[in-house]
Amino acid sequence: MTVPDARVERTGTDPDTGYSSFRLGSFTFRRDEYFAHVGWPKGSHIIEVDRFLRAMVRDIGWGFFYGWIFFDDLFGTTNHYGTVDIFAGAYDRASREAGIDWLETFPAEAVREAFEAISQDWISEGYDPLNAPLETGSPIGPKGKPRTDPLVRSFIAADRMLGLPGDKPVRSDATGHPIKRAFADLDYEAPVIECEPGFEGQLHAINLFEHIARSDVTWNPSISAVTRANICCVTSEEHMLPVIHGNDRNEWFIQLTDEIHWTIADKNSGAPRGRVVMRAGDVCAMPADIRHQGFAPKRAMLMVMENGTPGLETRYASGELKPYPVEFG
Ligand code: PHB
Ligand code: FE
């Protein structure tokens, strides 16, 4: 069902906890001290509130990303680049068989507005869902003082390359980003740039490890370089990716340091398909027909290469392109 002129509504405030409840289309959202509760005409669902908020602020910040963002096995969003589905159980075989699945399509702006209203109301000072769990407080309990700083941050996107004159800066002490404790032992020597006359301002090099080592957020890729539709993102990872990403295209991972474990399942049914353990130097492609979630036992650096070619999603969905990028042998 498409809800073209839906707007988020605040439907009440719990006098005991201080949190407001919301409605968008026929989805309802409320929280108590421990859990987020999502309702729709045929069912309801409960999600641990830390998990819910860590997923929601990333979904907003990523502009709904590529394809599917599952907050857990049941609830999430699908990006159609202009409109966004909110679904519950639509990609879970048991929910579909029980007939309780639900999906509504909204203008992307309406979903962004709703998710911002919910997360602003449900997040208090002292808790930052973009930080690693060891580096922030907890969202559990009644409403506290509202946060005054931006909830969604650090999605710094380079126009061409970080640190080029006129482009976004590389993180440093001066930008307020100290080196994180987990990366204190790395080599931070800066590259020497020796440029032929006439090419000044066009040749550039940075220590990308230093930029990532200074990131204060986790599971939050930021664009470090762009060549046409080739988007190079880097990110620091610790604990678990708080969403399960269902691809609508291939995506490449290059493990820069440490170790990340990925669980991989069929995109439509959620049936398990595999596990990948990536160690420093490993490269893998996540195919276009799966969902995946990463787990980083220690803070790790990851490079993610995305193909932003417009319309690619329909070429994979129609079967014109195979779901994997390489054929061996
Ligand atoms: C992904 O879904 O591919 C993804 C999301 C966030 C990250 C890394 C990978 O930080
Ligand atoms: Fe992904």
Side-chain angles (χ1 to χ4, degrees), residues 58 62 65-66 68-69 218-222 234-237 241-247 251-253 260 262 286 292-294 302-304 306:
R58 285 174 175 80
W62 300 343
F65 213 38
Y66 295 106
W68 285 252
I69 292 294
T218 57
W219 302 105
N220 193 18
S222 63
V234 289
T235 162
S236 66
E237 319 295 43
L241 175 58
V243 306
I244 304 159
H245 180 216
N247 291 24
E251 138 185 271
W252 289 90
F253 292 158
I260 299 180
W262 291 94
M286 288 290 160
H292 54 275
Q293 182 173 26
L302 180 68
M303 180 180 276
V304 182
E306 297 283 0

Side-chain angles (χ1 to χ4, degrees), residues 114 119 145 169 188-189 204 223 257 279 325:
S119 23
K145 267 175 72 181
Y188 293 114
E189 210 177 322
H204 189 55
I223 297 175
T257 73
R279 303 213 168 87

Side-chain angles (χ1 to χ4, degrees), residues 42-327:
K42 293 199 283 182
S44 66
H45 187 46
I46 183 165
I47 307 179
E48 202 273 318
V49 76
D50 190 16
R51 177 73 191 271
F52 181 86
L53 291 170
R54 284 190 279 134
M56 187 166 258
V57 296
R58 285 174 175 80
D59 207 12
I60 305 168
W62 300 343
F64 308 107
F65 213 38
Y66 295 106
W68 285 252
I69 292 294
F70 293 83
F71 287 35
D72 65 2
D73 291 337
L74 292 200
F75 179 80
T77 59
T78 313
N79 194 357
H80 301 293
Y81 313 99
T83 63
V84 169
D85 301 339
I86 299 183
F87 60 79
Y91 304 94
D92 172 66
R93 192 154 62 190
S95 303
R96 282 203 305 266
E97 281 170 9
I100 59 163
D101 56 305
W102 196 262
L103 183 154
E104 273 172 33
T105 308
F106 302 96
E109 190 49 32
V111 182
R112 192 185 60 77
E113 200 180 271
F115 284 11
E116 274 182 9
I118 295 168
S119 23
Q120 246 142 29
D121 192 88
W122 292 4
I123 292 175
S124 307
E125 215 175 72
Y127 168 62
D128 188 334
L130 293 175
N131 286 158
L134 271 176
E135 299 192 330
T136 187
S138 143
I140 289 172
K143 194 170 162 102
K145 267 175 72 181
R147 263 180 59 179
T148 49
D149 55 333
L151 289 182
V152 170
R153 64 200 158 82
S154 289
F155 301 93
I156 322 143
D159 301 309
R160 203 167 143 226
M161 182 179 163
L162 287 177
L164 272 177
D167 211 317
K168 307 295 174 342
V170 178
R171 292 185 193 103
S172 64
D173 286 336
T175 63
H177 297 92
I179 289 187
K180 285 286 164 186
R181 73 194 189 296
F183 300 131
D185 57 340
L186 290 187
D187 175 4
Y188 293 114
E189 210 177 322
V192 178
I193 306 171
E194 289 178 5
C195 182
E196 288 293 317
F199 293 91
E200 294 86 355
Q202 295 180 51
L203 182 70
H204 189 55
I206 60 171
N207 186 332
L208 189 59
F209 282 80
E210 178 168 354
H211 179 71
I212 309 171
R214 292 176 179 276
S215 173
D216 59 344
V217 293
T218 57
W219 302 105
N220 193 18
S222 63
I223 297 175
S224 58
V226 182
T227 311
R228 298 206 181 94
N230 180 354
I231 303 167
C232 173
C233 304
V234 289
T235 162
S236 66
E237 319 295 43
E238 181 174 331
H239 190 237
M240 63 200 269
L241 175 58
V243 306
I244 304 159
H245 180 216
N247 291 24
D248 66 7
R249 63 198 64 209
N250 289 290
E251 138 185 271
W252 289 90
F253 292 158
I254 303 171
Q255 186 74 35
L256 300 180
T257 73
D258 301 279
E259 184 174 298
I260 299 180
H261 300 235
W262 291 94
T263 55
I264 295 147
D266 181 83
K267 187 167 65 196
N268 291 310
S269 69
R273 270 203 24 200
R275 294 197 65 221
V276 173
V277 181
M278 295 189 68
R279 303 213 168 87
D282 288 347
V283 176
C284 86
M286 288 290 160
D289 59 351
I290 55 108
R291 56 176 93 168
H292 54 275
Q293 182 173 26
F295 299 81
K298 280 175 55 193
R299 207 174 187 93
M301 295 187 185
L302 180 68
M303 180 180 276
V304 182
M305 307 293 281
E306 297 283 0
N307 185 341
T309 304
L312 209 52
E313 67 283 2
T314 52
R315 298 177 64 195
Y316 280 109
S318 71
E320 177 198 334
L321 298 175
K322 296 206 172 121
Y324 45 83
V326 189
E327 231 150 343

